[in-house]
Amino acid sequence: MNNQRHIKGLIMSVLCLIFAISCQTNDPEEVQLLNNAPNFEAYQLRYMHYPSNILPGSTGEKVTIQYDNQNRPIKREGGLLALPASTGFGYTFSNNYYEEVVYGNNEISLTVKLSLPYSTDQLKTIYKTQNGKIVKKINIDPYVNDTIEYFYNNEKVVQSFKKKKVPVSDTKYYYNSAGNIDSIVSRPYVFNAVSQTWQVDFSGKIRTVQLFKDYDNSPNPTKKLMLFEEIFNRSLSQNNYRFYESKSYDVFGNLYDFSTRSWTFNYVNNQIQFTN
C-alpha cells in the first residue's frame, strides 16, 4: 500500500510539473496519518508568530490546545487582549481569552470567546475544506475582512491568493529538499487598464519576502494546526526553524521594513519542547 501511494504521488508530481498546475491532493490516508500524529497540547507565546508589542511578562505565558476523539483541535485557551494606547503596549496575555473550533460539512468555524466578566462570543474565521485540507480562509473580523485561497502540491501549500473586494496579493511558498519551508514571497495585484483585469505584478519590485532558516532535525509537532494564524508558518514544515526574517520592498525596490526573530529551543529525546 505504501508503495502504491508513493507511485501515485510521483505520477501526480510529474503531471503537476508538466501542466504547470497547483495540485490539491485527495488522499484520505494522508489526512488520517496527520490526524493520528501526537497532539501538540501547549506552547509559550514567544515561540509562535504573535505581535511584538506585548506587555512584558506576557510572552512566557502558556497557551493550551484541546482535541476531540478524532485528534482534531477544538479549543485553544489563552490569547491576547488589546490594551489602551496610553499603556505604550498593544496587547496583554489573558487566560480569559479562548477560541472554539467547530467542524461541519467541509467547513470549520473558529469563534473567539471571553469568559466572565467579558462574555464575548464572536465568529472570527470560517475555513472551507476539501479532503481534510484547508482550501479557503474567510476572515469575518471587520478589521481584516479578507479571503485567502490555498493550493497544494504533494501535501504542501504552494500558493495562496488573498482578496477583499478585489484581488490583493499572490503568495508563493518555496521548500527545500528536506520538506521545510525556505521562503514565502508575496506580490500585489495591480489593475491593468488595457485588459480591464487584476493581474499579479511580477514585473514590479513591490514584494514581501519571509525567510526561514536554521532548522533542527526534530519532528514538527504543529503540522495539523495551520488554522491558527500564529502557528500557520510553523505548521508548514517537517522540522522546526530557529531563525525568521521578513523583508518588504517598495515600488523602487528599496527595503522599507525589516525584522528578524531567533529562538533557542529545548529538546527531550529529540522532541522539541515549546513549553519551556
Side-chain angles (χ1 to χ4, degrees):
M1 178 64 71
N2 287 336
N3 288 336
Q4 291 176 344
R5 288 172 52 213
H6 179 66
I7 293 171
K8 181 174 68 174
L10 290 175
I11 293 173
M12 288 303 298
S13 299
V14 172
L15 290 174
C16 291
L17 291 173
I18 292 174
F19 294 103
I21 59 175
S22 296
C23 301
Q24 296 180 353
T25 56
N26 300 313
D27 192 343
E29 295 181 41
E30 293 292 345
V31 175
Q32 188 62 37
L33 285 172
L34 188 58
N35 284 345
N36 287 337
N39 291 336
F40 177 61
E41 297 181 342
Y43 64 89
Q44 291 189 7
L45 273 166
R46 65 176 179 268
Y47 293 130
M48 305 302 164
H49 285 262
Y50 285 87
S52 60
N53 58 338
I54 302 174
L55 184 70
S58 296
T59 55
E61 298 289 353
K62 188 180 293 185
V63 178
T64 59
I65 301 174
Q66 299 177 17
Y67 296 80
D68 63 13
N69 57 10
Q70 298 181 52
N71 291 323
R72 302 177 302 183
I74 56 173
K75 184 177 182 180
R76 181 169 68 158
E77 186 171 3
L80 299 182
L81 298 180
L83 289 175
S86 59
T87 65
F89 298 96
Y91 306 91
T92 186
F93 178 84
S94 175
N95 283 315
N96 289 310
Y97 177 103
Y98 64 100
E99 296 160 315
E100 284 191 352
V101 183
V102 177
Y103 298 85
N105 185 22
N106 295 322
E107 185 173 292
I108 305 171
S109 63
L110 190 152
T111 301
V112 171
K113 299 194 174 187
L114 293 173
S115 54
L116 291 173
Y118 304 100
S119 299
T120 296
D121 190 338
Q122 178 183 347
L123 178 63
K124 179 182 179 181
T125 312
I126 294 176
Y127 300 93
K128 300 295 184 179
T129 64
Q130 291 180 8
N131 303 298
K133 292 181 176 60
I134 293 173
V135 296
K136 181 181 289 188
K137 177 182 181 180
I138 305 169
N139 286 307
I140 308 300
D141 187 332
Y143 294 103
V144 181
N145 191 28
D146 60 26
T147 299
I148 303 174
E149 294 186 53
Y150 298 99
F151 298 85
Y152 294 77
N153 187 1
N154 291 338
E155 305 301 314
K156 292 181 176 62
V157 177
V158 294
Q159 189 172 19
S160 63
F161 298 112
K162 178 186 287 188
K163 65 179 180 180
K164 292 191 175 182
K165 291 183 178 180
V166 298
V168 175
S169 63
D170 168 88
T171 299
K172 299 289 181 61
Y173 301 75
Y174 301 95
Y175 298 82
N176 61 27
S177 58
N180 294 320
I181 190 74
D182 177 77
S183 60
I184 300 176
V185 181
S186 299
R187 298 179 182 274
Y189 275 85
V190 295
F191 186 73
N192 187 312
V194 176
S195 64
Q196 294 291 296
T197 60
W198 289 89
Q199 300 175 355
V200 180
D201 185 16
F202 289 112
S203 61
K205 297 181 179 180
I206 301 175
R207 66 195 186 281
T208 296
V209 180
Q210 300 177 76
L211 300 173
F212 305 83
K213 303 176 181 179
D214 192 22
Y215 278 91
D216 62 16
N217 61 1
S218 177
N220 178 6
T222 72
K223 292 190 66 174
K224 57 184 174 183
L225 298 176
M226 70 176 291
L227 74 165
F228 297 120
E229 181 177 355
E230 298 82 2
I231 307 179
F232 176 83
N233 283 344
R234 286 210 173 278
S235 73
L236 299 174
S237 298
Q238 298 296 320
N239 304 114
N240 310 281
Y241 55 86
R242 293 174 287 201
F243 184 85
Y244 169 81
E245 183 176 284
S246 178
K247 299 178 180 180
S248 295
Y249 299 88
D250 64 18
V251 66
F252 302 107
N254 297 319
L255 181 67
Y256 72 88
D257 188 43
F258 175 76
S259 64
T260 63
R261 295 185 66 180
S262 60
W263 298 267
T264 299
F265 297 134
N266 295 306
Y267 300 85
V268 175
N269 296 326
N270 198 40
Q271 298 295 317
I272 192 168
Q273 306 295 303
F274 281 121
T275 56
N276 52 28

